[in-house]
Amino acid sequence: ITEERPQGMGDYYEVLGVSKTASQEDIKKAYRTAGSEVASRQEPRQQGGAEKKFKEIAEPMKFCLTVSLAAEKL
C-alpha cells in the first residue's frame, strides 16, 4: 500500500498519535479523541476551520485503518 498525502501533512500515525502497529480499535479511538478536541476548541463562527481540521484527521484515519486491515489479512 502506498500513501499519497498532502505536503506538510507529516506522518499519518503521528497525526493521530498512534503507533504503526496500532489496532483498528486504537485508531478509531484516537480519531474520536482528536475530533472531540477539535470540536471543543472551535467557536461557532469558526466553522470553516473546524471542517478543515476534521478533514486533516479523517484522511490519516482512513489510511491507518486500511493498513491495519491489510495487515490483519496477512
Side-chain angles (χ1 to χ4, degrees):
I1 296 175
T2 61
E3 62 181 278
E4 292 285 328
R5 56 180 181 240
Q7 192 171 7
M9 183 66 147
D11 183 88
Y12 281 160
Y13 296 93
E14 287 180 21
V15 170
L16 293 174
V18 296
S19 73
K20 292 187 179 195
T21 58
S23 69
Q24 288 189 27
E25 190 59 37
D26 290 338
I27 294 167
K28 290 176 185 177
K29 183 178 178 182
Y31 174 73
R32 288 190 298 269
T33 300
S36 293
E37 289 174 7
V38 169
S40 68
R41 284 190 250 152
Q42 297 299 317
E43 293 182 25
R45 63 178 182 261
Q46 296 177 329
Q47 289 300 325
E51 183 178 340
K52 180 181 176 188
K53 190 65 178 171
F54 277 115
K55 287 180 180 179
E56 289 176 2
I57 61 174
E59 186 175 336
M61 190 260 320
K62 290 176 188 175
F63 173 80
C64 295
L65 284 176
T66 301
V67 171
S68 176
L69 183 61
E72 286 180 8
K73 289 185 176 182
L74 293 178

